[in-house]
Amino acid sequence: MIRRIVVMTQPRRLLNWLIPGIFFLAWLVVSETGLAPPYLLPHPKDVLATASSYLFGDVGQAAYAGRFFEDLTASTTRVLLGFGLAVIAGIPLGVLSGRLALVNHLLSTTINALRAVPGISWLPLAMVWFGIGIKTTVFLVALAAFFPIYLNAEAGARQVSPTLLQAGAMMGVRRLRGTFAILLPAAMPSIITGLRLGMGISWAYLVLGELTGVTNGLGALIMDARMLGRIDIIVVGIILIALIGRLCDVGLHYALRLSFKSARRIP
Amino acid sequence: MKPRLQIISAEHRSAASPVVLDVEQVSKRFVTNGSGDITVLQNISFTVRRGEFICILGRSGCGKSTLLNILAGFMPPSAGVVRLNGRPAGHPGPDRCVVFQEDALFAWLTVKENIAFGLKGRAMTRREKEREVDRFLSLVGLTDFADYLPAEISGGMKQRVSLARVLILQPEILLMDEPFAALDAQTREEMQDLLLRLWSELSHTIVFVTHDVGEAALLADRVLLFDRAPGRIKEEIRIALPRPRQKEDDGYYALCRSITAKIKAL
Ligand SMILES: Nc1ncnc2c1ncn2[C@@H]1O[C@H](COP(=O)(O)OP(=O)(O)OP(=O)(O)O)[C@@H](O)[C@H]1O
Ligand SMILES: [Mg+2]
């Protein structure tokens, strides 16, 4: 039953765009007044023109023209592969470690030590291991997204009230069904938090992974533009990554709500 | 002043029916961090006959929840045996169902789905299950709230759901751990009436934990009065007041006074 649809009123929806709107206005003002010279911050209308050429132009028409869909496909594939790997490893390991002291002892020292290593330190090693290309990027994304997913799944599983599991046991629920029918739904709010953090960090590490060696992708675009001094392209790249990151977050949110009662019905 | 205890059906019921639950010399010790072991329960023995309503009455911390957890199979006793229909009661299961002291509903399931939860995997058709769920929804007066989530209903309603989701499984014995303690006085009275009505309709066997003398005197055929540190049965009080009992009755009032006096003397 759907009784808890929150109807977003128009003014509230607008509120979501208030801060981006203010940023844009400020940008317009400093550009128009010449407060920020174009070589530091290009004018919005130039950025818009660059964006439109990058998104919709014909390939070869100008530098970067029409490259967007190739870059988008390449980057999204890498993010989804890396994020997917992180989910496949992070949720089961996190839940197990939250419930079983043995698994926790086995994993927690290692994982918390590795977690302290900044992602960028893995880059040179990943390049030695996987060479230049998609594998390095996917590895970095998976590694970075794993920690928030694992840690939140662990905390969520640990905090599930023993009474809920006892209630299941007395109603004849065995271990395996209890895991899927009680433990995971009860831990769902934490798991969702982990997934959203993981998705966000995936995009951050995607750019890191694409900074060297690959020819396509949004990270490669930004790096390439920096070498050529095309600051307008850098700005376009940043804005696009922000938009796509936000879209992925919303998409994840809806996909979870569509797939799981416990995600749909968070009080 | 002792109330005159005579007559009636409770007496009759307990004498004739077979023993469902047999608790024999049950003790429980906990190993604690600081002060070594503590004995929470010591040599608890009693039996419950089919259809009986037993109240375990005792002050906070005397081990009532611990005993109920052992009866339910959630933890093993340190010594002694719990038998259900003559056989050692092992793992928890739908033959011994608990209504918990705190809210233990599944927050992501509606009232209806919570009540249907234990029926999953039973050899019944979908139709039969739906009919059973509807029957129990109406027995606890929640038909209009079938599609609400636990977060959207009151504390009293939650306990009605907790009751319905276990009654639907037709347990051999119903274990209730201060189920109404967190409710306001009026709701508590409604729930007590509801419980008594369901009990007379469905004739369950009930072990009901409470620290409220009035509640025990209202509900029980027998009261097991618990002493503290270590928890043990101090006295067994058979209540023969005719049902339905009225809180305004002199007999009821006198009974409450005498039990209260016994507790104070502990
Ligand atoms: N797992 C445990 N480890 C150590 N001590 C425990 C444990 N569980 C309960 N106890 C102790 O056992 C005693 C009885 O606890 P229990 O919860 O059974 O009391 P109770 O009679 O249900 O109290 P209340 O009326 O407040 O619910 C308490 O002193 C408590 O500290
Ligand atoms: Mg208790």
Side-chain angles (χ1 to χ4, degrees):
Chain A
M1 290 295 112
I2 313 154
R3 278 163 302 95
R4 44 172 61 248
I5 310 170
V6 181
V7 181
M8 274 256 215
T9 48
Q10 220 50 32
R12 268 217 243 161
R13 225 176 242 282
L14 289 178
L15 211 54
N16 289 333
W17 294 100
L18 182 64
I19 292 176
I22 290 173
F23 268 117
F24 183 77
L25 274 181
W27 179 16
L28 199 62
V29 167
V30 295
S31 291
E32 281 291 330
T33 55
L35 223 62
Y39 68 88
L40 287 183
L41 186 65
H43 193 284
K45 75 172 192 301
D46 297 334
V47 169
L48 214 62
T50 308
S52 125
S53 149
Y54 174 61
L55 262 70
F56 309 113
D58 292 324
V59 182
Q61 201 178 42
Y64 303 110
R67 263 187 53 184
F68 174 64
F69 287 98
E70 189 197 331
D71 287 342
L72 178 71
T73 318
S75 289
T76 311
T77 310
R78 291 169 190 147
V79 163
L80 290 184
L81 280 175
F83 180 73
L85 286 176
V87 171
I88 289 170
I91 291 181
L93 287 179
V95 169
L96 283 175
S97 148
R99 297 306 309 180
L100 305 174
L102 206 71
V103 179
N104 193 310
H105 282 303
L106 189 69
L107 294 181
S108 70
T109 306
T110 314
I111 285 180
N112 283 302
L114 288 180
R115 189 161 69 91
V117 179
I120 195 153
S121 349
W122 291 101
L123 184 59
L125 193 60
M127 281 164 55
V128 173
W129 285 349
F130 301 113
I132 282 166
I134 185 168
K135 281 191 208 153
T136 297
T137 319
V138 170
F139 169 78
L140 283 177
V141 169
L143 189 72
F146 172 79
F147 294 110
I149 294 174
Y150 169 89
L151 289 170
N152 281 284
E154 183 197 10
R158 189 202 312 283
Q159 283 158 16
V160 170
S161 148
T163 320
L164 286 187
L165 300 172
Q166 289 176 341
M170 84 182 179
M171 289 190 279
V173 174
R174 298 255 162 266
R175 205 106 188 238
L176 189 67
R177 182 158 102 81
T179 305
F180 289 98
I182 301 172
L183 188 60
L184 289 180
M188 189 55 85
S190 289
I191 292 177
I192 290 176
T193 306
L195 290 176
R196 294 181 70 177
L197 288 171
M199 178 60 93
I201 213 166
S202 290
W203 280 98
Y205 277 75
L206 169 88
V207 175
L208 180 66
E210 287 180 344
L211 285 184
T212 44
V214 289
T215 52
N216 55 11
L218 293 160
L221 173 82
I222 291 176
M223 204 54 192
D224 199 45
R226 188 193 73 87
M227 310 242 245
L228 298 177
R230 285 287 303 272
I231 192 165
D232 53 335
I233 284 286
I234 298 181
V235 174
V236 168
I238 288 173
I239 293 175
L240 283 175
I241 289 174
L243 286 175
I244 296 165
R246 174 77 186 128
L247 272 179
C248 280
D249 187 48
V250 172
L252 180 69
H253 184 68
Y254 279 102
L256 286 167
R257 289 173 67 95
L258 209 66
S259 320
F260 302 104
K261 264 182 202 165
S262 49
R264 202 151 55 237
R265 294 170 174 172
I266 288 173
Chain B
M1 260 213 311
K2 266 205 154 179
R4 284 174 299 151
L5 310 175
Q6 295 146 347
I7 6 182
I8 56 163
S9 61
E11 209 68 36
H12 181 73
R13 177 170 42 237
S14 50
S17 320
V19 170
V20 178
L21 185 73
D22 180 8
V23 180
E24 196 183 307
Q25 294 289 319
V26 162
S27 299
K28 183 71 187 176
R29 263 194 322 278
F30 283 115
V31 183
T32 59
N33 293 328
S35 51
D37 295 4
I38 51 165
T39 303
V40 174
L41 296 172
Q42 197 171 53
N43 297 335
I44 308 284
S45 295
F46 64 96
T47 57
V48 183
R49 288 173 184 278
R50 184 170 307 279
E52 253 193 315
F53 199 134
I54 304 286
C55 274
I56 292 175
L57 178 63
R59 295 175 50 183
S60 183
C62 70
K64 306 185 295 294
S65 295
T66 306
L67 177 62
L68 223 62
N69 282 332
I70 291 171
L71 298 185
F74 297 147
M75 57 168 79
S78 308
V81 209
V82 176
R83 288 196 194 84
L84 193 70
N85 292 325
R87 278 188 301 273
H91 294 293
D95 47 2
R96 289 158 291 157
C97 279
V98 184
V99 177
F100 292 93
Q101 192 165 1
E102 70 268 21
D103 174 25
L105 295 177
F106 301 130
W108 58 92
L109 298 181
T110 62
V111 165
K112 195 178 187 160
E113 290 166 342
N114 266 289
I115 295 175
F117 188 88
L119 290 183
K120 226 162 268 175
R122 294 221 165 175
M124 294 163 77
T125 66
R126 205 192 169 88
R127 259 280 170 63
E128 288 169 334
K129 285 181 187 173
E130 269 170 26
R131 204 168 307 138
E132 275 296 276
V133 172
D134 287 343
R135 183 162 83 92
F136 279 89
L137 270 170
S138 97
L139 273 175
V140 297
L142 287 177
T143 306
D144 293 342
F145 296 91
D147 296 319
Y148 280 59
L149 292 175
E152 299 166 333
I153 58 177
S154 71
M157 289 165 145
K158 281 185 200 171
Q159 287 306 60
R160 286 170 193 252
V161 181
S162 303
L163 199 55
R165 75 167 175 186
V166 295
L167 289 181
I168 201 172
L169 303 177
Q170 304 178 321
E172 284 293 316
I173 189 157
L174 186 59
L175 307 168
M176 306 183 75
D177 191 358
E178 307 198 37
F180 312 143
L183 306 176
D184 65 83
Q186 199 158 350
T187 313
R188 189 181 315 142
E189 264 177 45
E190 279 172 28
M191 292 300 294
Q192 290 163 348
D193 289 347
L194 173 71
L195 181 62
L196 287 174
R197 210 187 70 227
L198 292 172
W199 178 58
S200 68
E201 272 174 44
L202 308 169
S203 51
H204 283 287
T205 312
I206 302 180
V207 174
F208 188 105
V209 162
T210 181
H211 60 247
D212 180 343
V213 173
E215 188 166 60
L218 187 73
L219 299 175
D221 292 330
R222 269 190 294 146
V223 173
L224 304 179
L225 191 60
F226 262 54
D227 197 358
R228 257 206 302 200
R232 65 211 122 105
I233 299 178
K234 189 69 183 174
E235 190 176 343
E236 182 185 316
I237 306 164
R238 198 169 279 279
I239 300 181
L241 290 175
R243 296 175 189 271
R245 295 173 187 160
Q246 303 293 333
K247 290 198 166 164
E248 297 77 27
D249 275 5
D250 291 344
Y252 173 80
Y253 183 64
L255 179 68
C256 288
R257 284 230 320 230
S258 95
I259 299 178
T260 308
K262 281 175 184 167
I263 290 179
K264 284 209 176 116
L266 288 180

